[in-house]
Amino acid sequence: MDYPSKRTFAIDLNPSMVGQEVTIAGWLEDLRDIGKIGFVSIRDMTGPLQAVVYDDTLSVAKDIPRQSTLIIQGKVQESRAKNAQVEIMVTKLIVVGKAFHPLPIDPTGRIESSLDKRLDSRALDLRNPRVSCIFKTKSIVLQTIRHVLFSKRFIEVHTPKIIGSATEGGANLFSFEYFKRKGYLAQSPQLFKEQLVLGLERVFEIGPYFRAEPSHTGRHLSEFISVDFEAAFLEYYDIMDIVQELISKVIKVLSQECIHDQIFVNGITREDGNIPRISYEQCISELSSIGVKLEFGDDLSDASLKKLGEIYPGFYFILDWPTNLKPFYILEQKQNPEISRSFDLQYGYLELVSGGTREHNPDILRGKILAQGLDPDLFSDHLKTFEWGMPFHSGCGLGLDRLMMVLAGTNNIRETVLYPRDTERLNP
Ligand code: ATP
Ligand code: MG
């Protein structure tokens, strides 16, 4: 049999097709041999289907190892199976790619494997519908985010990931040899996206960023995807409004979307409600009322964030952080320079977004770089753009893999990244 060019996806099979000849491509999950005929469970990227084999096709099917890739041809007929309206009566069957057993993991999920073993065999792991669903959902989330940002006149850009000097401090950068000089991997697009508002006003970038943090947590990786956006003439509370719209739109789209029968918006209120906005000061006073003593200016440790997550288990913003906790490019409040114009979006203990209004006065910015112990000379390419008529601007960075943790209901970011990179894992 030649490989047919026209195929029908499992999800498109329906009773109006009874009697039609179709071609299906997928992989073999199971065969139930009941004597004269056999029932074959096949799955393709859209879901499962049932096929019936008999005589020659049954004897061929019996010898095919599970997970091998097949193409079948046959007629659509009504099915008596409880989870399918129609099935395929197979007339031709061809094995395209044989699966050699024993396989390292069981992608049907019947035999559970550790996450480490699954990640070692990630390509096969993706045949598990619970796993592939995370990545199909991630793609829909990205599409939704792009749609919302485009509708607000943002344009999508790409800034370099190979950079020549430490962007925001430098402690967490990977460095490497770059044609006899030192190069670094970008930890964020922060400085570039700020420069771009000069000519483009509203930009966003979705890309990988790199942090050489030797962390061993469920929420940090050495490489992660960030959705960064930056806009001229907006304030940090305008950015919070956009973040809120992004989150509620994503949840709305996912609750309408039927990705097989997986429910994705785990434990998240589906209404388009506002996300609570809680000031840093209110956070520390609520924490101190339950015995976690913090002074203004103290960072919220993992333990404090866990406690705060118990008080606010869903999405909430923490805003108006102490200036001393924020990077040099964040602007402070006019009335009180100890408080910055900044916010984080949290989901319980988990930080999802950091954002703020930026300092756009070049002299003050230079002073702040100095005050944080950094060398303004390393920032000269950046600082000069602020002397060319820089508008005031605000923006944020949203950790996409962390948002997926919330949507997939997992505490381990490695579940939401195809090939996670951490201190231990560099392959595959
Ligand atoms: P954290 O305090 O959780 O380490 P951060 O404040 O250092 O995060 P930001 O520099 O504010 O992170 O980055 C913006 C967003 O990017 C974060 O809110 C988070 O969602 C995501 N992010 C940052 N670092 C990582 C990482 N190592 N792995 C995965 N996502 C990350
Ligand atoms: Mg942050």
Side-chain angles (χ1 to χ4, degrees):
M1 177 160 84
D2 288 333
Y3 291 150
S5 56
K6 196 163 179 281
R7 70 182 271 210
T8 303
F9 287 99
I11 202 169
D12 296 326
L13 288 169
N14 67 69
S16 78
M17 297 164 85
V18 167
Q20 274 180 34
E21 198 56 51
V22 292
T23 300
I24 301 283
W27 57 90
L28 174 74
E29 277 196 331
D30 233 335
L31 170 70
R32 224 159 22 93
D33 177 6
I34 56 164
K36 283 214 169 76
I37 60 166
F39 292 104
V40 188
S41 307
I42 296 177
R43 187 177 284 278
D44 70 14
M45 64 178 285
T46 67
L49 70 103
Q50 174 163 288
V52 184
V53 282
Y54 57 99
D55 296 345
D56 287 356
T57 53
L58 174 59
S59 47
V60 174
K62 272 189 197 167
D63 290 333
I64 306 174
R66 304 283 193 275
Q67 297 300 323
S68 298
T69 295
L70 313 173
I71 289 180
I72 60 166
Q73 281 182 343
K75 243 190 197 139
V76 181
Q77 64 181 27
E78 275 172 25
S79 171
R80 287 202 216 136
K82 31 179 201 312
N83 47 4
Q85 290 180 294
V86 293
E87 62 194 16
I88 313 298
M89 180 58 84
V90 179
T91 49
K92 280 187 194 161
L93 187 157
I94 183 172
V95 179
V96 179
K98 187 177 155 195
F100 293 86
H101 285 239
L103 294 171
I105 55 168
D106 171 19
T108 64
R110 263 172 260 163
I111 304 167
E112 277 197 24
S113 299
S114 68
L115 178 60
D116 254 338
K117 271 189 92 178
R118 287 175 38 219
L119 291 175
D120 287 341
S121 318
R122 191 54 135 173
L124 186 58
D125 189 38
L126 289 168
R127 285 202 167 166
N128 182 331
R130 282 203 1 245
V131 177
S132 62
C133 190
I134 294 177
F135 298 98
K136 290 172 184 170
T137 305
K138 200 172 193 177
S139 175
I140 296 170
V141 169
L142 279 172
Q143 192 186 358
T144 309
I145 288 174
R146 285 198 166 93
H147 184 80
V148 171
L149 292 175
F150 286 140
S151 77
K152 299 184 183 303
R153 298 185 192 276
F154 282 84
I155 70 160
E156 184 162 11
V157 297
H158 296 284
T159 63
K161 305 295 161 265
I162 298 179
I163 54 173
S165 63
T167 34
E168 293 163 55
N172 301 326
L173 291 176
F174 287 107
S175 61
F176 57 94
E177 196 187 304
Y178 184 79
F179 304 117
K180 301 200 178 126
R181 271 175 291 164
K182 211 167 173 184
Y184 301 91
L185 289 178
Q187 68 178 56
S188 91
Q190 184 62 37
L191 306 189
F192 288 110
K193 65 175 182 169
E194 285 194 55
Q195 295 172 23
L196 293 178
V197 303
L198 188 89
L200 298 174
E201 281 203 38
R202 294 185 178 200
V203 294
F204 77 94
E205 174 158 19
I206 300 176
Y209 295 98
F210 307 89
R211 297 203 184 170
E213 293 165 332
S215 359
H216 299 271
T217 72
R219 63 184 198 283
H220 292 95
L221 290 177
S222 316
E223 175 176 352
F224 64 96
I225 301 294
S226 176
V227 176
D228 262 87
F229 55 98
E230 199 71 27
F233 309 113
L234 292 186
E235 270 279 11
Y236 72 115
Y237 37 80
D238 303 313
I239 301 293
M240 288 163 71
D241 288 344
I242 298 176
V243 168
Q244 180 169 290
E245 189 176 331
L246 286 176
I247 298 291
S248 65
K249 200 62 194 272
V250 161
I251 289 171
K252 193 165 163 215
V253 167
L254 290 184
S255 49
Q256 287 163 353
E257 202 57 58
C258 177
I259 312 170
H260 311 312
D261 43 7
Q262 306 286 327
I263 294 163
F264 238 87
V265 231
N266 267 321
I268 298 171
T269 341
R270 294 182 186 201
E271 68 207 44
D272 290 354
N274 287 332
I275 296 176
R277 299 181 181 200
I278 301 144
S279 71
Y280 164 90
E281 282 184 275
Q282 190 183 336
C283 286
I284 58 170
S285 91
E286 290 200 40
L287 283 170
S288 76
S289 73
I290 55 164
V292 186
K293 296 285 174 230
L294 289 170
E295 302 275 331
F296 180 89
D298 289 344
D299 206 351
L300 302 181
S301 63
D302 283 5
S304 332
L305 286 171
K306 284 241 151 63
K307 287 275 174 214
L308 208 54
E310 287 165 20
I311 308 176
Y312 299 101
F315 289 106
Y316 60 102
F317 288 108
I318 305 176
L319 60 155
D320 301 345
W321 287 78
T323 306
N324 69 295
L325 293 179
K326 288 290 162 186
F328 64 82
Y329 49 79
I330 294 281
L331 188 64
E332 55 281 336
Q333 303 277 357
K334 279 198 194 84
Q335 326 77 285
N336 182 356
E338 291 199 345
I339 300 178
S340 65
R341 302 157 93 90
S342 64
F343 71 90
D344 278 8
L345 175 72
Q346 297 280 133
Y347 185 85
Y349 76 97
L350 185 67
E351 177 190 319
L352 300 175
V353 183
S354 277
T357 306
R358 320 306 188 181
E359 178 60 67
H360 74 284
N361 176 313
D363 295 330
I364 301 177
L365 194 56
R366 188 175 288 110
K368 290 177 118 180
I369 288 172
L370 259 178
Q372 292 207 353
L374 300 166
D375 177 3
D377 286 348
L378 293 176
F379 294 83
S380 55
D381 284 334
H382 181 59
L383 284 168
K384 69 185 182 202
T385 67
F386 283 66
E387 292 170 358
W388 300 335
M390 183 60 87
F392 76 86
H393 55 277
S394 303
C396 69
L398 177 159
L400 179 69
D401 315 309
R402 288 201 188 166
L403 177 60
M404 287 310 303
M405 289 170 68
V406 174
L407 299 174
T410 173
N411 281 324
N412 196 337
I413 195 166
R414 290 158 190 80
E415 294 276 5
T416 70
V417 173
L418 284 170
Y419 295 99
R421 294 286 175 254
D422 60 25
T423 50
E424 311 302 320
R425 189 170 276 282
L426 192 52
N427 294 301

